[in-house]
Amino acid sequence: KTAYTEKVTSVNRAEVVSAGRNATNSGTSPSTSTATTVVNTHKLIPTQMYVYDENTIDFGPVLTQPNKKHDLHTALDSCKFQVNLHNPSKCFPITIKASLLDSSSTATFRISDPLIVVDPNETRQLTVYAFPRLVQEYTDTLILCTEGNPKARTYRIRVKGVRPQLEISKKTIAFERVLLELADTKRLTLTNPTDIPVAFRVHGLDALQEIHVDVMSGIVDPHSSTDVSLFFSSSKPVHLNKKMIHVEYADIDNIFEKAIEHVQVSGEA
């Protein structure tokens, strides 16, 4: 009996190869040799990986999926993780039964095929899907059983349900009273407390000719902030009283319906 492990990691790819072989005494009996490869090839989500030290398939943060009925064929890439099943035998096919510890109809995780036949020296793919419903962490266990081999392989699965969120530092901005042609500047800080990037857009300035911003739209990285500067200036006397500008935000793929934060502004020139 032999076993080997190899670990390859990079920014956009995490791969672990694990193999276990059961030797047979007869060259004519079916081989129970099997090898499994867990691969993340989704280059847009570097947090989706196989964590070698924890024997865990980690989807990382995934947008919540409130719908209980999910079409596996139209699932987002962030909801899918490819597992390569390789048969190192040169003579005999192997049959692998895949299952999840939680197989209920409301389970967070799904698998593409419960039964997979792998021909000699061939590789077949098993897809694991994650559909978190709430903003919380979900876990399960993937179980792979090779027919004729009493030892099953298990992998822990983990996903964190997230939703886009943006915190605004101020809900009211009062500009200082300024002389004509001069300007007053205020700063609005947008903070993303989530594990996913959040896109934003400032609008409502068309009716406020006296106010300008340096950033109209952008993306706030996870657990970071960005500043938007607002400038108030006028060439003629004006009094702004409780006018509104709006900060619209959503996930970068526009999966969720956009949310809006309102900021009240006032000023006099």
Side-chain angles (χ1 to χ4, degrees):
K1 182 176 180 180
T2 61
Y4 70 90
T5 60
E6 179 182 355
K7 183 179 180 182
V8 180
T9 59
S10 65
V11 174
N12 295 320
R13 179 182 175 89
E15 178 179 63
V16 174
V17 181
S18 303
R21 299 182 179 180
N22 292 328
T24 57
N25 296 324
S26 172
T28 59
S29 61
S31 170
T32 57
S33 299
T34 181
T36 61
T37 306
V38 182
V39 179
N40 169 27
T41 57
H42 195 295
K43 297 183 182 302
L44 297 180
I45 303 182
T47 55
Q48 191 187 53
M49 65 181 66
Y50 176 80
V51 184
Y52 177 78
D53 293 339
E54 300 177 9
N55 192 39
T56 298
I57 297 172
D58 191 353
F59 282 82
V62 173
L63 288 171
T64 55
Q65 316 276 317
N67 186 10
K68 293 183 179 180
K69 295 182 179 180
H70 301 288
D71 185 356
L72 302 186
H73 299 290
T74 60
L76 298 173
D77 286 345
S78 60
C79 298
K80 298 185 290 186
F81 197 103
Q82 300 291 341
V83 178
N84 290 340
L85 306 176
H86 178 66
N87 178 9
S89 170
K90 297 181 179 180
C91 303
F92 303 101
I94 59 173
T95 300
I96 299 175
K97 296 180 180 179
S99 61
L100 297 168
L101 194 62
D102 182 3
S103 58
S104 64
S105 59
T106 59
T108 299
F109 300 94
R110 305 278 196 280
I111 55 176
S112 56
D113 299 290
L115 191 67
I116 300 176
V117 177
V118 187
D119 291 329
N121 203 31
E122 295 291 336
T123 299
R124 291 282 305 276
Q125 283 192 334
L126 170 71
T127 304
V128 182
Y129 299 87
F131 300 108
R133 295 183 300 278
L134 301 174
V135 180
Q136 64 181 53
E137 184 175 280
Y138 294 86
T139 60
D140 203 341
T141 301
L142 172 66
I143 305 171
L144 300 177
C145 298
T146 303
E147 190 175 273
N149 187 341
K151 185 177 181 179
R153 287 184 175 273
T154 60
Y155 297 93
R156 187 167 178 258
I157 314 173
R158 179 172 60 210
V159 67
K160 183 177 182 180
V162 293
R163 292 178 184 171
Q165 184 180 350
L166 202 62
E167 297 174 350
I168 311 297
S169 61
K170 300 175 183 178
K171 294 299 182 70
T172 60
I173 293 179
F175 289 99
E176 301 293 336
R177 187 178 182 182
V178 298
L179 297 174
L180 300 182
E181 305 294 348
L182 297 183
D184 184 30
T185 304
K186 299 295 183 183
R187 181 176 297 171
L188 195 64
T189 300
L190 312 180
T191 301
N192 176 8
T194 72
D195 294 319
I196 58 172
V198 175
F200 73 91
R201 184 173 70 90
V202 180
H203 63 93
L205 298 175
D206 294 341
L208 299 174
Q209 301 298 323
E210 300 81 13
I211 297 179
H212 304 276
V213 297
D214 62 342
V215 179
M216 289 294 295
S217 62
I219 295 176
V220 186
D221 291 331
H223 301 287
S224 64
S225 300
T226 189
D227 291 332
V228 177
S229 295
L230 294 87
F231 308 96
F232 172 66
S233 180
S234 178
S235 60
K236 59 183 180 180
V238 66
H239 182 260
L240 300 181
N241 184 26
K242 297 182 179 180
K243 300 297 183 180
M244 303 297 294
I245 62 174
H246 315 282
V247 180
E248 182 181 83
Y249 66 91
D251 60 280
I252 59 176
D253 295 317
N254 289 319
I255 304 301
F256 267 83
E257 183 177 350
K258 293 180 175 64
I260 298 179
E261 292 284 351
H262 307 286
V263 179
Q264 178 181 285
V265 297
S266 59
E268 183 178 359

